[in-house]
Amino acid sequence: MTQSQPNEIFLKDYQVPAYLIETTALRFELGEDNTRVFADLKIIRNPECQQSNPALQLDGHPDLVLQELAIDGRSLTTDEYQREGELLSIAAVPQAFELHCVTVLEPQNNTALEGLYKSDGMFCTQCEAEGFRRITFYPDRPDVMSVFETIVVAEKALYPILLSNGNAVERGEEGDTHWVRWQDPFPKPAYLFALVAGDLKYIEDSYTTMSGRDVKLQIFAESKDLDKLDYGMTSLKKSMRWDEEVYGREYDLDIFMVVAVDFFNMGAMENKGLNIFNTSCVLAHPATTVDAGFQRVEAVVAHEYFHNWSGNRVTCRDWFQLSLKEGFTVFRDSEFSADMNSRTVKRVEDVSLLRTAQFAEDAGPMAHPVRPASFIEISNFYTLTVYEKGCEVVRMIHTLLGADEFRKGSDLYFERHDGQAVTTDDFVQSMEDASGRDLTQFRRWYSQAGTPVIDASGTYDAEARRFSLTLRQSCPATPDMAEKQPFHIPVAIGLLDQQGGEYLLENSATTQVLDFTAAEQVFHFENIDSEPVPSLLRGFSAPVKLSYPYSQEAHIFLMQHDSDGFNRWDASQQLAVEMMQALIVDHQAGKALQLPEQLVNAYRTVLADSSLDKAMVSKILTLPSQAYLSELAEVIDVEAIHKVREFVRNTLAAELEPLWQDVYQANLSEAAYSPDADSIARRSLKNLALAYLLATGKEEYLQLALQQYDAADNMTDQQAALTLVTHSDFSAATDDLLARFYDSWKDESLVVNQWLSVQASKPSEGALARVEALLQHPAYDAKNPNKIRSLVGAFCGQNPVNFHHQDGSGYAFLADQIIQLNKQNPQIASRLLGPLTRWKKYAPARQQQMRAELERIKASGELSKDVFEVLTKSLAV
Ligand code: B3K
Ligand code: ZN
């Protein structure tokens, strides 16, 4: 816990470190009551630092117990150093010296899950961003890179496996204890340090790199999960190959290890040579993991592996530069997933996330640029903006430069900065230098927050055979900045002729990328024989909101003819969105709802065309989400959006019932489960059809769902049936099915999480009472972030009708949870706060209720920096 007015830190105040750490030698004596950490640091003055005789400043968490501090073998007395808040300063130190420091920790009582803690009886660490300061006193900043050696000592019987970064170079035994010495030859910042000790089992494989070196690959987990590691291993090998082929990047150590832990604040962590994963992001087995889970494992394994270059070999100078490694690495993992599966489907999924959650962040009280200018708690900035919008910014550079020039740029970046801690500007500079493109204006994407809006309009001059496209851009004010300068926006465009063919544009290509840089610009296209239908922002070439006055017919035309798969899907989404927005207005006016025939017909055409890609059919026929419609709304009317979605779904269910039946039958599969893209698409389409069939309300489809539940040989089909029945109007069947599911899977923690989420997100009345009852269930553990996310997170984030119940009970429930978690696990507390911070988007009555709960949290006692920052920023707008 910290004082009630924590400091804000600014990018503009950055100063180079006064001291550098050449080597860091650590010895961990792990124990049940306490753990002692011996740190020996070789320290030198930083020649780049201009200050004369600066004090040595070390970061150390206030709870850290200091047992010994010595310089060059001489112990310091307490008046020779100062401890204040998170800092320990020693005023007079030599130019070069050795610091010896002993600290004592209680990892078993560490509920924040930062630093060294215990997860299910195993020791593990999480040091990014500022967790190392909970282990020992150290310059805990990413621009201090040091060569680490770590000795791990622990009781043999309880902790047979002892791991740290790098290569194991020596091991030994003494009585009941044993030890292993690890050396990591690559200098790294403290945030990449890792240690694991426990009774773990592992699978092993090997990989021969492009230059012919053999690397040992190991994935560790508790013995009960040993059968769920193969997919992670396959994904790892694919990632290693892909990074060689696409980026020319080779792995550099002799061993690469991954460890699965059950208590983890986020998805995974890229510690050098020793990645630590949330079990939810690495364990996969057909019987227990749904398709999306397999895809997540593949993507996260790749993401963490790719960090070895984009993050570890080249790291961030300071935490404002977080997107340097995260935006770029998300771009890399996203392209990897696109190459491994369906490119268009991946794009649709990424854009859906961006448009709902990231755009909402951009429009909310925590809005910040991809490179934030200030923060109170860096943990609050591991956001969709830094990750996903950061990825889009890198993608735009890729679009502007083209694949070849982009590769030259990334080669230059890695060559120039290997072993350094650098800035997003260094990244852009390499791209500029390698390609010769001027990215000066483009850099605004890093410094200006908010989602740009483009208003587009077109005119056709038949006589001149010219189509002219006018683009106007603006960007709404964000709490940090009122006025924005125009962005450099790559707008990929195609022009369709009346028959659905494509005009040839610049370079005889059907797609042209426009450099849209002014507030308003007109682009002319010559030799256009008849009025074209423009296909704009192909592949979602920029993270913006673009509007064009399309008619319904034009949307339907693009749905059928656009050669850009993403835009075909997008046309269907926009068509549905526009119709649903009109229905929301009707509902609010008390009018009877009527679904336009055009939408039913458009869906019918898609559904009846068996030649179409199944994955895309399934995406097109999935209605715009509650979250997307909410993001688009000026004022969110939760009930109206929910009612309209239900109405549209039920109407499409009834009108197209025979087609849903056909699709369901046509996509049943006898083949053994496989998580490949085609099979996933089949299951997704089949389960979508089942959802529509259940929405008819007919008893026979309940039986069909129950039959699927019983016959399923994989979790995807079983869980789809469970969710659909639980969320349907067939309430009588629900309790029995939920009980059966729990009974079958109570020993599989990750499956139990799904069971919690299905109940927490059930839209019918009374959800909160069910959630409160589940908080007391033996399956729930209030200290485990995965359980908290599955129950509390799912209720507040995926059950809008109940969370926003007009009696305010959902808000009060969340506030109670935050007050409790604020002390126990500030990072999780602050993340959960999200839904309450969006109060401004609701009608006045709800605004008041939400604000009152935020005020109640504020008055509840001492707040962590994490919660303090989000709370004060949301109350300030
Ligand atoms: N770099 C880590 C995230 C660490 C979060 C710290 N609060 C995972 C990733 O992005 O790969
Ligand atoms: Zn990352």
Side-chain angles (χ1 to χ4, degrees), residues 328-387:
F328 186 23
T329 305
V330 173
F331 175 67
R332 278 148 58 68
D333 85 55
S334 163
E335 285 295 290
F336 166 76
S337 294
D339 283 347
M340 297 299 124
N341 305 288
S342 152
R343 179 160 286 272
T344 309
V345 169
K346 175 66 179 154
R347 193 69 191 130
V348 166
E349 286 166 354
D350 286 353
V351 173
S352 300
L353 176 66
L354 199 78
R355 271 185 176 161
T356 52
Q358 196 280 323
F359 283 11
E361 190 166 279
D362 252 349
M366 284 291 290
H368 54 276
V370 168
R371 183 192 58 215
S374 72
F375 60 75
I376 291 175
E377 169 54 61
I378 184 56
S379 299
N380 286 330
F381 288 81
Y382 286 75
T383 57
L384 290 153
T385 301
V386 165
Y387 275 65

Side-chain angles (χ1 to χ4, degrees), residues 797-816:
Q798 290 158 44
N799 197 341
V801 175
N802 282 287
F803 174 65
H804 295 280
H805 198 289
Q806 53 188 16
D807 65 7
S809 56
Y811 307 148
F813 166 75
L814 178 54
D816 288 341

Side-chain angles (χ1 to χ4, degrees), residues 128 268 270 303-304 307 310 325-327 329-330 333 382 387:
E128 187 178 359
E270 70 264 24
H303 179 97
E304 305 310 330
H307 267 316
S310 49
K325 72 179 179 80
E326 297 306 348
T329 305
V330 173
D333 85 55
Y382 286 75
Y387 275 65

Side-chain angles (χ1 to χ4, degrees), residues 12 26 39 57 136 185 189 263 269 288 294 319 399 442 452 580 613 655 683 705 770 800 864:
K12 64 177 169 43
L26 301 170
Q57 295 214 312
T136 188
F263 284 62
M269 178 63 211
T288 51
F294 275 89
W319 291 120
T399 303
F442 184 85
M580 289 166 90
D613 176 37
E655 298 257 345
R683 278 188 291 276
R770 287 191 299 273
S864 58

